[in-house]
């Protein structure tokens, strides 16, 4: 059974930083894209960042320059370093993996990020 388990969410003041982690189990995603989405209350889930199996990264315009995605294939884990957080970054952040079909085939349960102004 494949599982993606996020951790690292929490409450932070605007301008602060958080680092999210997503540990995968049940299969390896070494050669597949892993990334992050987020969903704020009353809004649709939106793409945040992904990193391909080859190490190429892609970001939403809203987070470029502030967020950094990385991965440790030995640990089957993807990270999201979030700096200069803004109140509009507040959302549930979801880990996602394997875009083979064009959309992620696997999702985590989500971790809450709250940014106070």
């Amino acid at each position: 059974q494949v599982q993606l388990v996020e951790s690292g969410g929490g409450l932070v003041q605007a301008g602060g930083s958080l680092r999210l982690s997503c540990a995968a189990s049940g299969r390896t995603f070494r050669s597949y894209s892993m990334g992050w989405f987020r969903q704020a209350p009353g809004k649709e889930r939106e793409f945040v960042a992904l990193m391909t199996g080859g190490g190429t990264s892609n970001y939403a315009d809203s987070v470029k320059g502030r967020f950094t995605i990385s991965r440790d294939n030995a640990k089957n884990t993807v990270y999201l370093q979030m700096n200069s957080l803004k109140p509009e970054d507040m959302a549930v952040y979801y880990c996602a993996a394997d875009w083979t079909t064009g959309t992620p085939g696997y999702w985590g349960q989500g971790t809450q990020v709250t940014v106070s102004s």
Side-chain angles (χ1 to χ4, degrees):
Q1 181 182 358
V2 176
Q3 283 189 312
L4 303 179
V5 179
E6 301 100 333
S7 60
L11 172 65
V12 64
Q13 287 188 329
S17 299
L18 281 175
R19 187 192 193 209
L20 305 183
S21 300
C22 170
S25 61
R27 59 163 281 191
T28 179
F29 291 100
R30 178 183 298 271
S31 300
Y32 297 87
S33 295
M34 297 184 75
W36 297 89
F37 286 71
R38 67 187 181 186
Q39 188 168 19
K43 296 187 177 181
E44 294 187 353
R45 190 173 298 189
E46 65 175 3
F47 168 78
V48 175
L50 71 79
M51 179 170 278
T52 68
T56 300
S57 57
N58 189 23
Y59 297 92
D61 287 343
S62 59
V63 306
K64 281 181 181 176
R66 299 188 299 120
F67 291 10
T68 303
I69 189 170
S70 61
R71 61 192 293 170
D72 184 337
N73 287 331
K75 294 182 178 180
N76 218 17
T77 298
V78 64
Y79 305 95
L80 186 68
Q81 178 66 45
M82 305 185 294
N83 298 330
S84 302
L85 281 161
K86 305 175 181 180
E88 52 263 43
D89 294 318
M90 185 162 58
V92 177
Y93 282 71
Y94 296 91
C95 177
D98 189 355
W99 266 258
T100 302
T101 62
T103 58
Y106 301 93
W107 293 91
Q109 82 288 351
T111 186
Q112 176 70 48
V113 171
T114 302
V115 183
S116 63
S117 56

